[in-house]
Amino acid sequence: MLIVQLSDPHVRPEGALYQGVVDSNAQFAGAIAHVNALDPRPDLVLLSGDLVDHGQDDEYAMLARMLEPLEVPVLAIPGNHDEREAFRRAFAGKPWLPAEGPIDYAVGDHGVVRIVALDVTLPGLHHGVVSEEAAAWLDEVLTAEPARPTMVMMHQPPFATGIPYMDPYSCREGQRLAEVVARHPQVERILCGHVHRFMQLRFGGTILCTAPSTTTAIALQLRGDARPASYIEPPAMLLHHWREGRGLVSHFVPVGTFPGPYPFA
């Protein structure tokens, strides 16, 4: 099973630039074209939050137009730049979308790997939290299929990255999440977005990774006094490949065309 993870496209209304600098829509369109060109064709695309930049209906209308050419089924969660009810209107009719409350759901009909979406966003705030209610819901959902390989998707990562201008906006109560996940060894990955960078660590007895953005890369600055900064690096995505008997391998994949192929390896 092949699962693409795209994150933080920050779609804008037509003609508007992200932060007045980057054509995030063109970057996202390029990522969608890249997914459609993959061989073999992926089974599923995950969108791990910050789908639009300001949570506005015209941005979600643009997002819907941009997703039309995608030839692969999509599952999505909101990020801190999304607006939950506008998000719900944008994906109205999707069988995985809950009618009210957080955008929490579990889907297992696209292949062997089950996807559990955990909405840790707090409307109007940039940090997230794993509430007691969310942890109990996740524990119940994971208990229902203990033998099924599973990926948990959320937006804000529940750990300190070391980037001083990002960590105040992480997901709080990460230990609560880690305690739940540790009880369920079928969880192969926890997938996050938010930080516009690829990061990986052990968490709750499994592997947690964050996806790069299709728009900009937040600067990796680990000095405590570092000032906020970003770069226009090549957009990228993650490709998660499950095979029976081997498990899950996650690949970092730059989006675009590059010199090659050359006849060596």
Side-chain angles (χ1 to χ4, degrees):
M1 184 175 181
L2 278 176
I3 301 169
V4 170
Q5 183 184 358
L6 299 174
S7 200
D8 297 82
H10 290 270
V11 168
R12 301 297 327 278
E14 185 170 8
L17 299 178
Y18 172 65
Q19 299 293 338
V21 175
V22 184
D23 190 344
S24 57
N25 294 2
Q27 301 277 62
F28 190 47
I32 290 171
H34 195 109
V35 171
N36 284 339
L38 289 173
D39 185 16
R41 177 67 51 83
D43 299 285
L44 189 60
V45 169
L46 306 179
L47 302 178
S48 50
D50 282 359
L51 309 188
V52 304
D53 197 37
H54 293 295
Q56 297 171 347
D57 285 329
D58 56 351
E59 292 176 324
Y60 285 109
M62 175 59 67
L63 175 70
R65 286 169 52 189
M66 298 188 72
L67 289 175
E68 285 178 0
L70 185 60
E71 299 168 1
V72 181
V74 171
L75 300 177
I77 55 168
N80 53 296
H81 282 260
D82 290 295
E83 198 283 321
R84 187 177 287 168
E85 296 313 312
F87 177 103
R88 206 185 310 274
R89 289 192 295 272
F91 289 98
K94 296 295 184 183
W96 46 263
L97 184 71
E100 59 184 14
I103 312 297
D104 298 329
Y105 58 88
V107 172
D109 55 0
H110 293 288
V112 64
V113 178
R114 187 182 188 215
I115 308 299
V116 176
L118 183 66
D119 182 2
V120 297
T121 62
L122 295 168
L125 299 173
H126 285 296
H127 70 276
V129 67
V130 180
S131 66
E132 291 183 0
E133 294 78 10
W137 176 86
L138 180 63
D139 195 34
E140 180 180 355
V141 167
L142 294 176
T143 298
E145 295 197 48
R148 183 88 176 266
T150 299
M151 304 172 82
V152 175
M153 174 173 61
M154 53 195 288
H155 182 64
Q156 293 98 329
F159 69 96
T161 67
I163 301 175
Y165 40 83
M166 291 303 297
D167 286 339
Y169 309 117
S170 65
C171 178
R172 299 173 187 176
E173 303 296 341
Q175 185 57 36
R176 183 178 288 154
L177 175 66
E179 290 170 358
V180 171
V181 172
R183 295 196 289 270
H184 299 281
Q186 79 270 27
V187 177
E188 294 281 344
R189 290 287 187 282
I190 301 172
L191 308 178
C192 302
H194 187 58
V195 294
H196 291 217
R197 301 198 62 83
F198 174 72
M199 303 180 190
Q200 181 173 278
L201 76 159
R202 289 194 61 79
F203 181 92
T206 189
I207 302 295
L208 183 152
C209 58
T210 67
S213 170
T214 60
T215 301
T216 56
I218 289 175
L220 179 59
Q221 300 187 101
L222 302 179
R223 289 177 55 97
D225 60 352
R227 302 292 297 273
S230 292
Y231 290 92
I232 304 175
E233 296 180 1
M237 63 187 189
L238 298 184
L239 182 63
H240 307 286
H241 188 196
W242 168 269
R243 286 194 295 177
E244 195 68 42
R246 186 199 64 177
L248 189 68
V249 175
S250 296
H251 303 270
F252 177 96
V253 182
V255 171
T257 57
F258 306 95
Y262 297 101
F264 53 80

